């Protein structure tokens, strides 16, 4: 299954924040949208960075409560690894495991069109494996 098919099921909605948003605002976004990472973008089109709950925990450990008044631009990871809609989900799982991150924004010719999380990837892989097992069962019992 490719990334475009995953987005058809889950939708292309991506929660973004501007680089000058405070970390307190980012925390509120993460809480209200019940997600683990926010894409940082000045225009909701171009991916400039990503702030995940892991970045916030690290900043809290380093700076205490002062971390909350820092900006997204202060904490974000730049050079975000993105994927294209035609990429295979199985390959994306390897990218996430090797890179040790759980979110990959989807860009189509430089335009942000969605985001895939490790949860989405695992769900798809489990469904694929269940379908394969079902096909094998049918083959064995009817063969
Ligand atoms: P995560 O596992 O997604 O919460 O992120 C772990 C760390 O990797 C954090 O420092 C994130 O900012 C960073 N990160 C998350 N997603 C990506 C990505 N697609 N490309 C590069 N860094 C990322």
């Amino acid at each position: 299954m490719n990334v475009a098919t995953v987005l058809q099921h889950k939708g292309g909605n991506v929660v973004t924040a501007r680089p000058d948003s405070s970390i307190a605002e980012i925390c509120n976004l993460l809480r209200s949208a019940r997600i683990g990472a926010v894409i940082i973008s000045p225009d909701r089109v171009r991916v400039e960075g990503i702030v995940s709950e892991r970045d916030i925990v690290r900043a809290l450990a380093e700076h205490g409560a002062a971390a909350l008044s820092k900006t997204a631009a202060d904490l974000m990871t730049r050079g975000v690894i993105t994927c294209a809609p035609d990429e295979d989900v199985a390959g994306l799982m390897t990218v996430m495991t090797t890179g040790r991150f759980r979110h990959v924004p989807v860009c189509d010719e430089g335009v942000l069109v969605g985001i895939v999380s490790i949860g989405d990837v695992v769900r798809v892989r489990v469904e694929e494996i269940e379908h394969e097992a079902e096909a094998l069962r049918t083959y064995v019992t009817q063969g």
Side-chain angles (χ1 to χ4, degrees):
M1 191 183 285
N2 68 14
V3 168
T5 312
V6 177
L7 292 185
Q8 273 165 23
H9 288 130
K10 69 167 276 196
N13 183 44
V14 190
V15 178
T16 65
R18 293 177 47 82
D20 58 359
S21 309
S22 72
I23 295 304
E25 286 168 332
I26 302 279
C27 287
N28 276 323
L29 262 182
L30 293 176
R31 176 173 174 262
S32 59
R34 304 173 77 175
I35 53 174
V38 175
I39 302 301
I40 308 305
S41 169
D43 52 10
R44 303 178 65 86
V45 171
R46 196 164 41 87
V47 176
E48 207 169 281
I50 186 165
V51 174
S52 93
E53 49 202 359
R54 215 167 267 189
D55 300 311
I56 296 172
V57 168
R58 192 183 307 126
L60 283 170
E62 285 172 9
H63 308 287
L68 296 175
S69 33
K70 290 189 176 291
T71 65
D74 292 331
L75 259 64
M76 70 187 185
T77 301
R78 297 162 196 268
V80 178
I81 307 293
T82 63
C83 68
D86 61 358
E87 260 175 63
D88 195 65
V89 172
L92 207 54
M93 201 170 201
T94 309
V95 169
M96 287 179 171
T97 312
T98 314
R100 293 178 169 269
F101 45 73
R102 298 165 291 179
H103 303 88
V104 178
V106 186
C107 291
D108 194 0
E109 296 182 356
V111 175
L112 178 65
V113 294
I115 187 164
V116 175
S117 75
I118 191 80
D120 302 321
V121 171
V122 169
R123 197 174 309 121
V124 166
R125 291 299 290 148
V126 167
E127 278 169 21
E128 282 179 344
I129 289 163
E130 280 172 354
H131 284 141
E132 282 166 19
E134 186 54 38
L136 270 177
R137 264 195 295 274
T138 308
Y139 177 74
V140 169
T141 54
Q142 293 178 1

